Amino acid sequence: CASGKFIDRALNALGGKRIGLRGEGDDDKDIEGDYDDWRDQLWPALETEATFLGLVSPKKQNGGIDLMNHFSAYNVEFQANFVCQEHPLYEGKPNKAGTFDANHPFLAQIHTCLELHTTQSERSCIHVELDIDGQGIQYETGDHVGIYPQNGEDIIERTAACLGLFLDQIVILKKPEIEADLHDVPSRPLSVRTLLAGYTDLLSSPSRAALLALASCAANPDEAERLRLLGDNHNRQEFQHWVLEKQRSLLEVL
């Protein structure tokens, strides 16, 4: 929260008018809930200020969308009778000079992966060795290691079965202009298999926003209501117990 505190002090020194409390998140529990608490008191304050100044409500800026109860979504186009060439998520190719750099990293394989804590420990620390033998690569201060994860075939198949999707179905994802919080995805046609393998986080616990999105698509009314209940910021204890403490993944929720 250092940057937030710095900006808060700077605005105060410049004579800014405070209309709400500065929010601070605690990542040890439910940082999304901390943000929601701050947001819930921010919107009414902005609403009051906008009304006082004769401005459009900040909640209704983007074409009348209620931003407090809106979740982001891609536009999906299903391609019929279309065959596309599959590309790996990352090929690990060098730059034009034939060397690897920050923009053209080397795709190393994991050589060793060891858990350093015993089964009696509640903590985990993993020792990992990467194979760069014969590549002429040496570690330099400031070098970073990135991970290109992919979901396993069993995870992909289970997810597709839950959603009623065909893995070889070709789709194109388009990000609406107003959805700045959505990740960029390739604009080329991709198979459902590729999307589920490399562009979908299926094994992490879903956020409350994700649960609300699922609720809007659920065919079973009881399941939809259950998802809405879990996604409700005023029901954080149930979300904390059923999702976070149980470490339920998005696939398990599906």
Side-chain angles (χ1 to χ4, degrees), residues 198-253:
Y199 296 97
T200 313
D201 187 359
L202 300 172
L203 299 182
S204 294
S205 295
S207 65
R208 271 192 295 273
L211 295 176
L212 291 176
L214 290 176
S216 70
C217 303
N220 185 304
D222 292 335
E223 292 180 353
E225 181 59 30
R226 173 62 173 162
L227 289 168
R228 280 192 290 268
L229 182 65
L230 288 169
D232 188 345
N233 185 44
H234 301 292
N235 194 37
R236 292 171 58 177
Q237 187 173 359
E238 180 66 11
F239 174 79
Q240 177 80 21
H241 171 71
W242 197 83
V243 177
L244 299 183
E245 291 180 4
K246 300 294 184 180
Q247 296 184 329
R248 283 190 166 94
S249 66
L250 176 60
L251 176 55
E252 290 176 300
V253 173

Side-chain angles (χ1 to χ4, degrees), residues 78-121:
F78 288 87
Q79 306 296 302
N81 302 319
F82 187 91
V83 178
C84 70
Q85 181 180 359
E86 293 288 3
H87 300 273
L89 298 180
Y90 178 69
E91 297 179 285
K93 294 182 177 180
N95 56 27
K96 294 181 179 180
T99 59
F100 296 99
D101 55 33
N103 295 319
H104 302 82
F106 173 66
L107 191 61
Q109 298 296 314
I110 295 178
H111 179 269
T112 303
C113 184
L114 298 173
E115 171 61 61
L116 301 182
H117 284 262
T118 67
T119 55
Q120 285 73 38
S121 174

Side-chain angles (χ1 to χ4, degrees), residues 49 60 70 77 93 116 126 164 178 200 202 214 217 224 254:
E49 197 68 15
K60 304 286 186 178
H70 174 67
E77 296 180 1
K93 294 182 177 180
L116 301 182
I126 298 176
I178 64 171
T200 313
L202 300 172
L214 290 176
C217 303
L254 288 174

Side-chain angles (χ1 to χ4, degrees), residues 54-71:
L55 302 176
V56 177
S57 165
K59 288 169 54 180
K60 304 286 186 178
Q61 289 280 347
N62 293 306
I65 294 175
D66 185 347
L67 298 179
M68 286 188 69
N69 299 301
H70 174 67
F71 55 83

